[in-house]
Amino acid sequence: MADAVVDFVKQKFEDALKGPVKDALLKEGQFLYGVNDNAEVVQRELGRIKSFLKDADSKSSSEERVRNWIKEVRSVAYSIEDAVDNFQADVDSINYKEPGFFNALKKLVKKPTLLWALHNFGNELEAIQTRIKEISKAKADFGVNNLDDGSSEKFRLPMERLILTNNDEMEVIGFESDKERIIGRLIHDENSRRSVVSIVGPGGIGKTTLARTVYNSVKDSFEIRIWLSVSQEFNLIYLLKKMHEQLQPVKQRDHHELPEENLIREIQASMKDKKYLVILDDVWTEDVWYQLKMVYPDDKNSSRVLITSRFVNVAKAADPKPYELPYLNEEHSVQLLLNKAFPFKDSNESYPKDLSELAKEFAKKCGGLPLQLVVLGSLLSRKSPDCQAWNRLMRSIDWVTDGKHCVDIMATSYKQLPPHLKSCFMSFSVFPEDYEINAQSLISYWSVEGFIPQEGRGTMYDKAQGYLDELAQRCMIQVTERNTTTGNIERCRVHTLLRILAVQEAREKNFITVFWTQEDNRKEAARHASFHLYTPEMQNNFTENKDVTEYAGPNVRSLMFFGKILSIRSRMKLLKVLVVYHTSVTFYDGKHAWLENLISLRHLEFRECTLENDTLPESINCLHYLEYWDLTDTKIVDLPKSIKCNEALKLVVNLVESSS
């Protein structure tokens, strides 16, 4: 796992040397002997040190001195990223071409500035070169050797798109009778009063998958169907807005300014005298039902609410007889595991007998938990189909008995990812639990942050779709929507347990920091920061008059806000991504709009936000390098004149639909 950050930085460094940074070096490098040489040495040494990381990974969990060595490697890798990003920002600022004669004269004055930037870049590379050599020499003292003899498995992302033979959703194996019982309570029960059916079980047992299958089977029996993912970060207003969206045609939606009482009134009016089915998925507290039950009318027309929860007491708050989903028995466990281990097997073929016996051992270790079986089966599908390879995997997993083995299996799958997919997987930690992720936005984020290498065939979009397909094939993400024509993934989410793994890995590497409370702030400045501030309790943990850099640091590359945006007053030279969801946004602090401080911004999203004066400030033209923005579900119907001349802007999506 140690090589993910280093591989990411190494690729980013190489891409930078092929782009504008290379152009600057070619133009002015002759004035600064050694800059090119230092860059080449750093590139070469970084490649050498990366080759030792596989051995370091195998020892890092048990040896403190190896973990310290890895920390040093990661630190120098981040220093390289800082040097490259600072120089890239300087070059972008200097190279920006403003129209007009006087601006052309100003361009000539900037030449000494470029020379100064090159000088600083060369000094930083020289210092980094010294640090890398010291780290390389120290590897023997830390007990790190290059044991990569070429015998380990190599993973390659095929250029052709993956063809998935199985459904993206987890298979419903062993739950057929459970499905029929729940369907019976929903549509065959003679009770005409509004009633609740609940499914209870631990995380990963398949509650959501079963609920989705039931929903698809019975939805035609109801006039209104609503699906709400509740999760641990419960927010009533957010759920009311989501209900309102699903009840109202797109062009009639106008819920941003509606107070809670008006939202409830409109929802009730839309549902009155109609037979409805509401799914409340992943409910964590009894308070959810206590607050929502007053919203749903009871018109004695056999309307139903289906709840999934990990907690019996939560389910019983709404349903006196919750349906407790059992673990899979051995037969069904083995069947699910083998289906995932051999995804392309013809239905008439039989499984190898010796592997079927081993599958029983694996299934026994998983304890009948479907998510473990699916992830493990996906991992086995990438191994050689023989007893030796399967036995090696059996020995490599730490089969503890305290309930941690599920995360350990997932961690094993994470370790098997190629470095570029590790970075992409960690990036999912920025999103709240159970969040449905827009693939187009995610791909832009990956592209801007350098997660997708520039080399190789195909467009950035095609490569990123390949990455998403690969993660889905490995059961690391759940696909919730595909384009019916192209088959491209359009929306996806990450299971709670896998998200926990992503958050842990990203935080350990100081790659991404997720903030819920001030205690989440760390001594090391964040490189990518996400603030999850849905509830008043979370919001009150952060002081409004404090600048966001006091929490995330001045050199953060991406900022994401969910539920509330913090103050942005400082000039943030390296910030490339700003995403704001579900809140009100004020642009002006006095005469100037804070967007002017984000000179390197390339990706901008305001989703489901109420923007000041329902417009963007004209000073947004300061964002010379903006490439992507998304204004989904805001009231903006037109763009500022200044931004329409932005040649760098490649994609403008989702202005409010009433403007079309």
Side-chain angles (χ1 to χ4, degrees):
M1 285 181 278
D3 60 336
V5 168
V6 175
D7 190 86
F8 164 70
V9 172
K10 181 175 181 292
Q11 185 63 58
K12 190 171 182 178
F13 186 57
E14 291 171 354
D15 287 344
L17 293 179
K18 296 172 187 173
V21 174
K22 176 185 176 182
D23 295 338
L25 288 171
L26 289 176
K27 288 178 183 177
E28 310 293 349
Q30 65 268 29
F31 296 107
L32 295 165
Y33 297 107
V35 174
N36 274 307
D37 291 341
N38 283 334
E40 290 173 2
V41 169
V42 167
Q43 187 176 356
R44 184 171 61 251
E45 290 291 333
L46 197 57
R48 285 182 58 197
I49 209 167
K50 180 177 174 289
S51 68
F52 293 97
L53 286 170
K54 183 175 177 62
D55 179 48
D57 253 345
S58 66
K59 298 180 179 181
S60 62
S61 61
S62 58
E63 297 187 21
E64 181 67 26
R65 58 180 184 166
V66 177
R67 287 200 295 271
N68 289 334
W69 184 80
I70 291 173
K71 189 175 181 180
E72 288 297 317
V73 172
R74 192 179 301 132
S75 174
V76 78
Y78 283 146
S79 295
I80 294 169
E81 185 186 25
D82 288 342
V84 169
D85 286 349
N86 273 295
F87 184 50
Q88 178 83 59
D90 289 339
V91 171
D92 286 346
S93 177
I94 293 165
N95 285 345
Y96 178 69
K97 297 178 181 179
E98 298 176 274
F101 173 74
F102 289 105
N103 288 321
L105 290 178
K106 189 165 57 176
K107 172 80 175 171
L108 295 176
V109 180
K110 287 185 176 180
K111 188 159 187 170
T113 309
L114 178 57
L115 290 174
W116 181 252
L118 276 165
H119 177 76
N120 287 340
F121 186 51
N123 287 343
E124 289 182 26
L125 290 181
E126 189 173 356
I128 289 168
Q129 179 184 335
T130 302
R131 285 182 64 192
I132 290 179
K133 288 181 177 178
E134 290 173 353
I135 289 173
S136 295
K137 289 177 183 177
K139 67 182 182 293
D141 297 334
F142 283 101
V144 180
N145 299 297
N146 184 13
L147 299 184
D148 187 2
D149 57 3
S151 62
S152 59
E153 277 191 88
K154 305 296 182 184
F155 292 93
R156 179 181 61 85
L157 183 66
M159 289 310 299
E160 287 75 21
R161 298 291 306 282
L162 293 167
I163 301 174
L164 303 180
T165 59
N166 291 335
N167 291 330
D168 292 314
E169 293 287 345
M170 189 191 301
E171 297 175 68
V172 181
I173 291 178
F175 291 148
E176 291 82 2
S177 61
D178 305 287
K179 172 185 171 184
E180 293 307 316
R181 290 191 187 100
I182 293 167
I183 288 176
R185 289 186 62 183
L186 289 174
I187 62 175
H188 300 312
D189 194 321
E190 295 181 358
N191 181 13
S192 63
R193 300 294 300 268
R194 179 200 69 190
S195 62
V196 180
V197 179
S198 59
I199 304 172
V200 180
I205 203 168
K207 300 183 298 296
T208 300
T209 299
L210 180 57
R212 179 67 70 181
T213 304
V214 168
Y215 173 85
N216 289 333
S217 298
V218 305
K219 62 183 180 182
D220 291 338
S221 300
F222 298 88
E223 294 177 76
I224 291 176
R225 287 91 65 183
I226 296 174
W227 184 289
L228 295 174
S229 295
V230 181
S231 81
Q232 194 170 4
E233 299 175 1
F234 166 64
N235 179 270
L236 179 61
I237 289 292
Y238 174 70
L239 290 182
L240 291 174
K241 288 180 178 180
K242 285 299 178 186
M243 274 190 279
H244 192 268
E245 285 178 9
Q246 295 180 49
L247 288 167
Q248 299 293 332
V250 172
K251 293 188 178 182
Q252 293 180 20
R253 292 178 191 167
D254 186 18
H255 56 234
H256 289 297
E257 305 297 338
L258 291 178
E260 180 181 319
E261 297 78 8
N262 290 22
L263 272 173
I264 292 174
R265 195 177 300 117
E266 289 201 8
I267 290 169
Q268 290 175 329
S270 298
M271 299 177 76
K272 185 171 177 55
D273 296 326
K274 293 183 175 67
K275 185 179 179 181
Y276 60 80
L277 172 64
V278 177
I279 312 293
L280 299 177
D281 185 41
D282 196 22
V283 178
W284 281 68
T285 65
E286 300 170 26
D287 193 46
V288 174
W289 177 244
Y290 294 148
Q291 293 191 53
L292 287 176
K293 68 179 180 180
M294 304 303 295
V295 177
Y296 305 130
D298 183 1
D299 296 315
K300 298 182 181 180
N301 57 6
S302 300
S303 291
R304 299 289 183 259
V305 178
L306 178 61
I307 291 175
T308 72
S309 178
R310 301 183 185 196
F311 310 103
V312 174
N313 65 304
V314 171
K316 282 187 174 180
D319 175 15
K321 297 180 180 180
Y323 192 90
E324 296 191 39
L325 199 58
Y327 289 90
L328 295 180
N329 61 29
E330 181 181 290
E331 179 187 353
H332 290 140
S333 295
V334 172
Q335 183 185 351
L336 179 57
L337 180 71
L338 289 173
N339 281 7
K340 289 298 179 182
F342 297 94
F344 302 105
K345 185 187 78 65
D346 188 276
S347 58
N348 296 321
E349 293 181 62
S350 60
Y351 297 107
K353 187 175 180 180
D354 53 350
L355 296 183
S356 294
E357 290 302 314
L358 269 175
K360 292 180 182 179
E361 294 299 315
F362 276 112
K364 192 180 298 182
K365 298 285 189 182
C366 290
L369 193 66
L371 181 63
Q372 288 190 123
L373 292 159
V374 167
V375 173
L376 182 57
S378 175
L379 188 60
L380 287 168
S381 73
R382 301 194 166 267
K383 301 294 181 183
S384 176
D386 58 66
C387 289
Q388 186 178 6
W390 282 33
N391 273 316
R392 276 200 305 268
L393 180 62
M394 176 77 79
R395 292 191 299 270
S396 70
I397 296 176
D398 181 17
W399 299 100
V400 295
T401 58
D402 60 359
K404 292 168 58 181
H405 52 292
C406 185
V407 175
D408 189 71
I409 290 173
M410 296 174 185
T412 302
S413 292
Y414 171 75
K415 291 176 185 177
Q416 296 288 337
L417 292 175
H420 61 275
L421 285 185
K422 288 179 182 175
S423 300
C424 292
F425 176 72
M426 284 191 288
S427 74
F428 284 99
S429 66
V430 302
F431 299 100
E433 183 181 345
D434 282 335
Y435 204 83
E436 190 170 55
I437 301 159
N438 179 283
Q440 189 178 52
S441 169
L442 180 68
I443 287 170
S444 170
Y445 171 48
W446 285 356
S447 176
V448 166
E449 291 297 345
F451 294 172
I452 308 171
Q454 295 177 9
E455 62 185 15
R457 293 178 296 158
T459 65
M460 287 283 195
Y461 183 83
D462 288 339
K463 290 178 189 176
Q465 276 289 338
Y467 290 4
L468 283 172
D469 271 336
E470 181 84 346
L471 289 168
Q473 180 86 349
R474 294 170 182 268
C475 299
M476 302 298 283
I477 63 172
Q478 297 171 336
V479 178
T480 57
E481 184 180 339
R482 285 185 181 271
N483 185 290
T484 55
T485 303
T486 65
N488 286 340
I489 294 173
E490 293 193 341
R491 295 183 182 278
C492 62
R493 58 163 46 96
V494 181
H495 188 277
T496 300
L497 296 177
L498 284 163
R499 180 181 171 274
I500 289 171
L501 175 64
V503 170
Q504 289 174 346
E505 290 296 324
R507 191 170 182 82
E508 177 191 333
K509 295 169 176 57
N510 197 36
F511 192 59
I512 296 168
T513 303
V514 180
F515 293 85
W516 288 281
T517 68
Q518 291 197 55
E519 284 68 39
D520 291 312
N521 202 5
R522 309 181 67 189
K523 292 181 180 178
E524 296 177 278
R527 309 191 77 75
H528 307 273
S530 183
F531 292 81
H532 299 177
L533 308 176
Y534 275 119
T535 68
E537 293 77 16
M538 292 175 177
Q539 294 173 6
N540 291 336
N541 285 321
F542 296 86
T543 308
E544 287 198 18
N545 59 5
K546 270 193 177 182
D547 191 79
V548 68
T549 56
E550 295 189 44
Y551 299 109
N555 293 326
V556 65
R557 271 73 174 170
S558 63
L559 276 176
M560 297 194 179
F561 298 97
F562 297 86
K564 178 184 178 181
I565 183 171
L566 301 183
S567 176
I568 302 177
R569 295 191 298 271
S570 301
R571 183 178 174 86
M572 304 182 76
K573 180 180 177 182
L574 302 184
L575 188 71
K576 293 183 179 179
V577 175
L578 176 63
V579 175
V580 185
Y581 284 36
H582 317 131
T583 188
S584 299
V585 180
T586 302
F587 291 111
Y588 290 92
D589 182 10
K591 294 183 178 179
H592 301 287
W594 51 262
L595 278 174
E596 298 174 20
N597 297 324
L598 314 181
I599 57 175
S600 297
L601 202 67
R602 284 161 165 79
H603 176 117
L604 177 63
E605 283 188 62
F606 294 113
R607 277 177 168 258
E608 300 182 37
C609 289
T610 301
L611 305 184
E612 183 179 8
N613 300 323
D614 294 327
T615 186
L616 294 170
E618 284 289 339
S619 57
I620 198 172
N621 68 340
C622 296
L623 307 181
H624 306 314
Y625 297 99
L626 193 62
E627 298 174 4
Y628 174 100
W629 62 5
D630 191 337
L631 303 171
T632 298
D633 213 0
T634 65
K635 292 183 179 179
I636 292 181
V637 297
D638 199 10
L639 304 176
K641 295 178 182 178
S642 55
I643 201 65
K644 292 181 180 179
C645 300
N646 186 345
E647 296 177 0
L649 193 60
K650 298 174 184 174
L651 186 61
V652 179
V653 297
N654 297 329
L655 290 177
V656 70
E657 302 213 15
S658 61
S659 64
S660 57

